[in-house]
Amino acid sequence: MLRKLCFLLPLILMQPAVAADVDVKNGFFKTSDGVKLQYLEAGSGPPIFFEPGWSMPAWIWDPQIKHFAEHFPVVALDPRSQGDSEKPTDGNSCERRAQDIKELVEHLKLDHVVLVGWSLGVPELLTYAEQFGGSHIRAYVLVDGFALDKQDPQFIVAMIGMYKQVQTNRREFTEKFVRSMYKKPQPEEYIQRVVAASLKMPSDSAVAASVSAISRSNWRPALARVDRPVLVMCQAKLKSMAADPIVSAIPSARVELFEDAGHALFVDDAHRFNALLDDFIQHLPAP
């Protein structure tokens, strides 16, 4: 029995500390162009809105939903064509997906909301700031996503190669892609659940959503419209692509680097991620 406990203890300690009794509800709303989107909702207080990354579901934020719902109302969206939201053939662009966020914020009557976007969610939130400004927004949290101020040819070539894999062998690509998001071991059941969720996004829509972000050569005009506090959290190895361009345009942005976490750093190091986000929110100007 002792040997069994010694084996299980590291696995137990790896799991993020979350409140087991948080009541998470599913909701649906229809966008102005008639697309039915699902979102998760829990908690009460000053709101936090979570936007997942490329092809990922709202529940990928589970460690954050259960942590922050004790003190904040938390909303996590299944973006169009992802998760259990409707899968339209059009509208898979940063501009339309940013409008979807705005419409859900207005639908739920959220005010002074902290917007948290991961991966593809970063250019989507920057597009939100550019299109709609910060009238309802308290702060932006940009997690391990790119906001380049000039086109990187090598990056574009790599992305085009990825699109070819998506179109030719989606299942094999998705297995590798999902496993690459984590630096720390995750249960196989969890990995397969994420793979299945990613595969819900039609391949053409997945390519279109990504192309919309990388085809823009300069995000500085969008960054110039960000008029609220900014927190950037990213892998240390991606600082030059995920943090430096943002700080160059927004010198006041706070940057937190993760040395021992993968792309899904809010899962790999949920405890530190939640603590940093908590601290950032606590030091924001009062709504």
Side-chain angles (χ1 to χ4, degrees):
M1 177 63 72
L2 181 59
R3 290 181 63 187
K4 187 175 181 180
L5 284 173
C6 290
F7 173 76
L8 290 174
L9 185 58
L11 297 178
I12 295 170
L13 293 175
M14 268 184 3
Q15 302 305 312
V18 297
D21 58 349
V22 169
D23 182 21
V24 181
K25 299 176 181 177
N26 285 32
F28 289 90
F29 88 109
K30 188 163 284 191
T31 65
S32 58
D33 64 342
V35 178
K36 186 178 180 182
L37 302 184
Q38 178 187 255
Y39 59 91
L40 305 179
E41 187 177 19
S44 61
I48 309 176
F49 186 107
F50 290 95
E51 177 80 350
W54 181 72
S55 79
M56 293 292 112
W59 58 257
I60 196 86
W61 294 105
D62 191 56
Q64 287 66 51
I65 294 170
K66 291 179 177 176
H67 173 85
F68 287 100
E70 293 188 76
H71 305 290
F72 302 94
V74 175
V75 175
L77 175 65
D78 275 338
R80 66 172 57 209
S81 299
Q82 293 179 211
D84 290 326
S85 286
E86 198 171 338
K87 311 292 190 294
T89 56
D90 56 0
N92 293 293
S93 67
C94 289
E95 290 77 13
R96 178 64 242 191
R97 287 154 72 99
Q99 186 170 338
D100 292 344
I101 294 171
K102 176 179 182 286
E103 291 178 6
L104 179 54
V105 167
E106 293 174 347
H107 172 77
L108 296 175
K109 295 180 172 57
L110 303 178
D111 205 9
H112 301 292
V113 61
V114 175
L115 291 182
V116 183
W118 167 49
S119 191
L120 181 60
V122 169
E124 290 172 0
L125 294 196
L126 294 179
T127 303
Y128 181 105
E130 185 175 40
Q131 290 186 158
F132 309 115
S135 59
H136 292 291
I137 307 306
R138 192 177 179 197
Y140 296 90
V141 180
L142 309 176
V143 183
D144 216 51
F146 302 137
L148 301 176
D149 52 7
K150 59 183 177 181
Q151 201 70 274
D152 182 336
Q154 289 184 323
F155 176 68
I156 297 299
V157 169
M159 294 301 292
I160 291 172
M162 185 188 84
Y163 301 148
K164 183 176 181 179
Q165 294 178 59
V166 169
Q167 294 285 3
T168 57
N169 196 336
R170 178 73 184 279
R171 176 78 199 195
E172 180 181 347
F173 165 80
T174 303
E175 284 269 0
K176 293 178 180 178
F177 170 71
V178 168
R179 293 182 190 280
S180 74
M181 296 193 322
Y182 306 93
K183 190 171 183 178
K184 297 178 181 177
Q186 302 295 331
E188 185 61 23
E189 181 181 0
Y190 169 81
I191 292 292
Q192 291 305 319
R193 187 181 176 213
V194 178
V195 168
S198 180
L199 288 170
K200 287 184 177 183
M201 188 176 196
S203 296
D204 288 349
S205 297
V207 171
S210 181
V211 167
S212 174
I214 73 159
S215 61
R216 179 164 179 168
S217 60
N218 185 0
W219 284 92
R220 289 188 72 89
L223 288 163
R225 294 293 306 275
V226 176
D227 59 355
R228 296 292 187 269
V230 174
L231 168 63
V232 180
M233 291 193 272
C234 67
Q235 299 173 80
K237 66 180 182 180
L238 295 183
K239 177 177 178 291
S240 63
M241 298 180 75
D244 290 351
I246 295 172
V247 174
S248 176
I250 309 172
S252 62
R254 173 178 169 181
V255 175
E256 298 290 349
L257 303 178
F258 285 67
E259 297 279 356
D260 193 28
H263 184 44
L265 49 86
F266 53 92
V267 177
D268 267 349
D269 198 350
H271 180 76
R272 180 169 180 244
F273 182 95
N274 292 347
L276 289 171
L277 181 53
D278 232 334
D279 180 73
F280 176 69
I281 294 172
Q282 296 302 328
H283 287 87
L284 288 174

